[in-house]
Amino acid sequence: GARRPDDGRRRAPAPEWVRADFADLTDADAWRPLLEGVDAVVNCVGVLQDGAGDSTSIAHERGPRALIAACEAAGVRRLVHVSAVGADDDAGTAYARSKRVTETLLEASRLDWAVVRPSLVVARGVFGGTALIRALAAFPGFIPVVGGDQAFRPVAMADVCEVVVRLLAPGAPARVRLDLAGPQSLTLADLLRAYRGWLGFAPAPVVGVPALLAAPALAIGDLLGRLGWPSPLRTTSLRQMNHDVGGDADAAERLLGLRTRSLDQHLSEQAAAVQDRWHARLYFVRPLAIALLSVFWIGTGLVTFGPGWKGAVAILHEGGYGAVAPWIAGGGAVVDIALGLALLVRRFTARAAIGMALVTAGYLVAATLTLPQYWLDPLGPWLKTLPGLALCLFVAATDERR
């Protein structure tokens, strides 16, 4: 089940995919067609923080409440819920409180439920916090970190999946909560050093970032999340890390006979490829590219309407556009500003970047036909657009988040 099953079907064609968006499934009746012929349900839905398109209430309370009621009505007895270590009221976050609500709803139900509460989950593919960890580990020259002494017991995604599979087997333990963690206890600083080595970069010192300096970045992350740019650089992430991300290293072996692998084992099983190094190094470059492109396009439009108006019209007259020169200058400025603003809207970013590339190519064709001499200008007004064109293509090509 996925919000965008077509995307999943292209990447993994073997399973049967259905559309299942919790935002549309807050009533038990809505679940009925999805549960026909189903013997068990695994719920992996979760969001870090409220924002554009994300709701902790829907993901952790209203959606699960409807799902549990629907399972009871349809006779689906088994429900395995993937929660998280530290999902309790003491964490002081809406994420933890609402995650705990899901567990409470299960405990009050008639289902044969099981709750899996993993510590930090590590996998070859990364998203969210684990992507940030790789990016920080790959930072040039040094490794920045807020705190650094937070304790983790990373657990491999393969072990999380194996636990879920074992909990779905006949005779598996029911009505249990399982804190799932790896055997290796590491501080955040240790984790960053391990990933830097795995990525193949030379060792670098870990440099602590004072909380006062980190606070503005987290506030910006919270704001961007509400605008549709979810990021692990948010207050919830830091609070959860400072609260509890450890877990019980022996619980899976006691309950299911599974010995989880250490981070060293996990990393040794999958050597880093060039794609991993690129992703880690480009993690901070991409938002910088988006910000600079937006500033450049909005700025050129505003300059054209302001102090650069006479110059812009004069150049167009030089190119032989005559009476329509002011209209071309004004229209071009409007397009520049519109594309610069659209780039900042998450769902339009890739299309805006492609639009910028096409508009740039159009500018260059028209400029070459009417003002070819500027290709030889020592300040390079036409040549300088080529790196901008490449940057637009970079932003468009790296739009995928997961």
Side-chain angles (χ1 to χ4, degrees):
R3 284 176 290 182
R4 294 176 294 278
D6 289 342
D7 293 347
R9 194 176 294 113
R10 283 191 291 268
R11 299 183 186 196
E16 177 187 352
W17 289 83
V18 295
R19 187 177 186 278
D21 188 344
F22 266 32
D24 302 325
L25 297 169
T26 54
D27 181 86
D29 289 338
W31 281 100
R32 187 175 294 122
L34 295 176
L35 295 179
E36 291 178 3
V38 169
D39 299 310
V41 171
V42 180
N43 177 33
C44 306
V45 176
V47 299
L48 177 67
Q49 196 165 315
D50 289 334
D54 289 334
S55 166
T56 53
S57 173
I58 290 176
H60 304 157
E61 298 181 42
R62 295 170 59 195
R65 182 180 285 108
L67 172 60
I68 291 167
C71 286
E72 291 175 333
V76 178
R77 298 291 304 164
R78 192 62 161 162
L79 194 155
V80 178
H81 171 65
V82 181
S83 185
V85 165
D88 54 62
D89 293 339
D90 294 338
T93 65
Y95 168 82
R97 286 193 299 270
S98 57
K99 278 277 192 182
R100 179 62 188 134
V101 168
T102 309
E103 297 181 11
T104 303
L105 291 170
L106 282 169
E107 292 164 3
S109 74
R110 301 190 302 273
L111 303 180
D112 294 330
W113 54 267
V115 172
V116 181
R117 307 176 98 203
S119 180
L120 178 71
V121 180
V122 292
R124 181 59 180 274
V126 291
F127 172 77
T130 46
L132 176 61
I133 285 172
R134 286 196 195 180
L136 292 173
F139 207 80
F142 66 98
I143 304 173
V145 62
V146 180
D149 57 352
Q150 299 95 331
F152 293 85
R153 285 189 176 273
V155 58
M157 175 65 81
D159 289 333
V160 177
C161 294
E162 179 62 23
V163 163
V164 170
V165 169
R166 293 191 184 195
L167 287 171
L168 292 171
R175 303 185 74 82
V176 294
R177 284 196 298 168
L178 169 63
D179 278 8
L180 181 59
Q184 198 172 0
S185 180
L186 299 166
T187 65
L188 178 55
D190 293 334
L191 187 64
L192 292 168
R193 292 189 190 98
Y195 265 106
R196 188 175 183 89
W198 178 75
L199 289 166
F201 297 123
V206 176
V207 177
V209 178
L212 282 176
L213 292 180
L218 296 174
I220 292 172
D222 289 344
L223 175 62
L224 291 176
R226 293 191 175 277
L227 296 176
W229 294 90
S231 156
L233 278 171
R234 288 188 275 180
T235 52
T236 296
S237 301
L238 187 60
R239 288 178 183 172
Q240 288 297 142
M241 283 197 306
N242 291 337
H243 171 60
D244 180 15
V245 283
D248 186 345
D250 302 318
E253 187 171 9
R254 289 196 307 268
L255 190 66
L256 300 170
L258 174 68
R259 183 182 293 274
T260 56
R261 68 201 76 190
S262 68
L263 178 69
D264 290 342
Q265 289 175 298
H266 165 73
L267 295 180
S268 297
E269 289 172 359
Q270 337 184 42
V274 65
Q275 294 93 332
D276 300 297
R277 292 164 61 94
W278 278 28
H279 179 264
R281 278 280 164 91
L282 292 176
Y283 185 87
F284 293 117
V285 174
R286 185 172 189 274
L288 179 62
I290 292 172
L292 291 178
L293 272 177
S294 178
V295 168
F296 173 74
W297 281 73
I298 295 173
T300 54
L302 294 177
V303 168
T304 298
F305 278 129
W309 178 256
K310 289 183 180 180
V313 173
I315 290 174
L316 288 168
H317 277 302
E318 183 183 349
Y321 290 96
V324 298
W327 292 97
I328 294 175
V334 169
V335 170
D336 289 355
I337 294 171
L339 287 172
L341 291 173
L343 193 73
L344 299 176
V345 181
R346 179 67 190 87
R347 67 181 182 274
F348 297 142
T349 298
R351 283 172 283 181
I354 293 171
M356 288 175 172
L358 293 174
V359 169
T360 299
Y363 284 163
L364 283 177
V365 169
T368 300
L369 293 175
T370 58
L371 296 162
Q373 66 272 21
Y374 283 98
W375 280 105
L376 303 178
D377 189 293
L379 294 179
W382 296 168
L383 284 171
K384 287 178 179 177
T385 61
L386 296 177
L389 176 60
L391 198 60
C392 295
L393 296 176
F394 163 74
V395 169
T398 55
D399 191 58
E400 294 287 346
R401 292 175 57 236
R402 56 165 56 185

